[in-house]
Amino acid sequence: MASTRDLPGVTRAVRFGAGVATLGCAIALFNRMTVRGLPDSAAAIEPITVCVPARDEVDRLPDLIADLRAQTGAPRMRVLILDDASTDGTGDAALEAVDDDPRFIVIRSDAEPEPGWTGKAAACARLAELVDTAVLIFLDADVRLAPGAIAAAVAELRGGTAALVSVWPRQDAGSTVEALVQPLLCWSWATTLPVTVANRSPRPSLAVACGQFLVFDTAAYRAAGGHAEVAASPTEDLDIARVVRRGGRRTALVTAGPLASTRMYRGAADVDAGYSRWLWSAYGGSPVAAAAVAAVAALAFQLPPLAALAGRGATRRAGLFGTAAAITARLLARSVETRTGLTRADILAALAHPLSIAAYTRLSARSHLAHRRGVLTWKSRPLPTTAGGSPT
């Protein structure tokens, strides 16, 4: 049998994949050197309203409330919490955690979203109607905050020209499946998009946003149409950033570093359900485009490790180079996100990058299949089926 060094087509494919991985590594290095993080200390003296939509978050919301109560540097902060028809006692847990703190208002709602709305977009829109301050912040219930996080986020908004600052929290993992999949969120933009360039661009297609922590100039949010403009989107965070840009205003992505973190999903079942609900909408909702991306990812991040192990000569050298570039890119992306030293878990996750790509491909296929069958749900609610953008 001929060895892989005798198959020039294989060598060319490995070199192509290694080139893609190397380009991603270069972009990740640029982002590590240039992406802004929240300031370590700041003060925000103007009135601020923090909005927290919460559905079935009894185990997470009290921790966020405790973090919000401990905020420093934001003396005029008000917090609105919407218990969105929860069935697990979220509202009662919120009231207990608030403990008569006058800055907090807990709103209970049994209303279901109108047809064509996702539950989150409807909850955010309802909360936004109650805001009478110039700064509006949306926080997911699973976010954890250091004491100065809110003040730092507002300082970032007011210190620049963006109408929306998207704060990217550190994505934590508590299981093997989470460790394989969650780092891909930051990696997906940190290795493909020079963020500082994108932050200065008016092009909607270059917007990046994370709905876990969004900081708006309230007037700009309302001028853009708010969440009504993205009512059916499975990726309402990214799409609302695009809407803001289409209105002629800037958006910017910054990383939270040690000031904010989240464990977005808990365990394999949560990961499956969470990603299946929106991955179909990536790349314009096209299964063909999704398959093409998966094929390129396989060439870039799965073929080189195989060549490094089984190839010979030039094929093996290209495989080793591509594998090293992919691992380095993963570590750089994680460093962009955390802004701290890398841990043993980070290194192990980077070494498992080919398995991460396999997990992503599986989730993408599951999402497209569920969308085609019309069975997509999230937190026991059916989801609209219009196409959206890409990750939260």
Side-chain angles (χ1 to χ4, degrees):
M1 179 181 294
S3 70
T4 52
R5 67 180 177 179
D6 299 321
L7 299 173
V10 173
T11 302
R12 285 195 295 270
V14 175
R15 285 175 172 167
F16 172 81
V20 173
T22 302
L23 176 61
C25 185
I27 295 172
L29 177 60
F30 176 80
N31 282 328
R32 181 62 185 91
M33 297 170 62
T34 59
V35 170
R36 288 181 57 83
L38 289 182
D40 293 332
S41 60
I45 60 172
E46 67 178 301
I48 301 160
T49 303
V50 177
C51 295
V52 182
R55 177 172 169 83
D56 293 339
E57 297 285 4
V58 67
D59 294 327
R60 305 182 188 189
L61 183 57
D63 290 333
L64 173 60
I65 291 172
D67 291 345
L68 286 168
R69 294 185 67 187
Q71 288 300 296
T72 59
R76 303 174 73 184
M77 179 187 72
R78 182 178 66 150
V79 180
L80 304 178
I81 299 168
L82 178 64
D83 173 17
D84 183 16
S86 298
T87 60
D88 65 350
T90 291
D92 291 337
L95 289 170
E96 182 178 355
V98 166
D99 192 26
D100 295 326
D101 189 321
R103 298 172 298 172
F104 289 72
I105 299 174
V106 178
I107 304 158
R108 295 177 185 264
S109 173
D110 293 324
E112 292 298 310
E114 294 290 330
W117 284 74
T118 66
K120 184 174 181 181
C124 288
R126 178 170 180 182
L127 286 166
E129 290 175 354
L130 306 175
V131 172
D132 59 2
T133 58
V135 176
L136 164 61
I137 298 176
F138 291 104
L139 276 178
D140 280 1
D142 53 14
V143 174
R144 300 302 308 275
L145 302 173
I150 295 297
V154 175
E156 188 67 23
L157 177 74
R158 291 314 193 201
T161 60
L164 163 62
V165 170
S166 176
V167 181
W168 189 278
R170 185 185 73 240
Q171 303 292 320
D172 291 339
S175 69
T176 300
V177 172
E178 294 168 60
L180 283 175
V181 176
Q182 287 306 101
L184 294 180
L185 285 174
C186 179
W187 170 86
S188 67
W189 55 259
T191 61
T192 59
L193 189 68
V195 171
T196 53
V197 176
N199 283 349
R200 296 188 183 100
S201 172
R203 293 183 61 184
S205 62
L206 295 182
V208 182
C210 176
Q212 296 160 343
F213 195 161
L214 296 175
V215 187
F216 281 96
D217 176 89
T218 305
Y221 169 84
R222 289 180 172 147
H227 279 82
E229 293 296 310
V230 295
S233 172
T235 53
E236 80 292 328
D237 48 3
L238 176 59
D239 286 336
I240 202 168
R242 290 172 171 172
V243 168
V244 170
R245 287 193 173 197
R246 289 189 191 105
R249 301 296 301 273
R250 289 185 55 242
T251 72
L253 178 79
V254 300
T255 54
L259 293 183
S261 64
T262 183
R263 183 179 174 188
M264 188 172 171
Y265 301 123
R266 299 190 180 189
D270 267 8
V271 168
D272 270 5
Y275 283 95
S276 293
R277 71 185 168 93
W278 67 263
L279 265 180
W280 68 270
S281 68
Y283 320 115
S286 167
V288 174
V293 169
V296 172
L299 284 174
F301 308 115
Q302 292 177 314
L303 182 60
L306 289 175
L309 291 172
R312 298 181 182 180
T315 301
R316 185 169 186 269
R317 288 192 295 273
L320 287 169
F321 189 86
T323 301
I327 292 170
T328 302
R330 272 288 295 264
L331 294 173
L332 284 168
R334 182 61 171 167
S335 183
V336 169
E337 182 175 63
T338 65
R339 312 194 75 84
T340 59
L342 297 168
T343 66
R344 180 174 177 271
D346 295 332
I347 295 170
L348 291 175
L351 292 172
H353 190 54
L355 297 178
S356 295
I357 297 301
Y360 159 78
T361 302
R362 172 183 171 274
L363 288 168
S364 179
R366 282 174 56 90
S367 182
H368 277 280
L369 183 59
H371 175 250
R372 183 175 180 180
R373 291 176 175 173
V375 296
L376 289 171
T377 64
W378 182 241
K379 294 192 174 182
S380 73
R381 285 171 169 160
L383 292 175
T385 56
T386 56
S390 60
T392 63

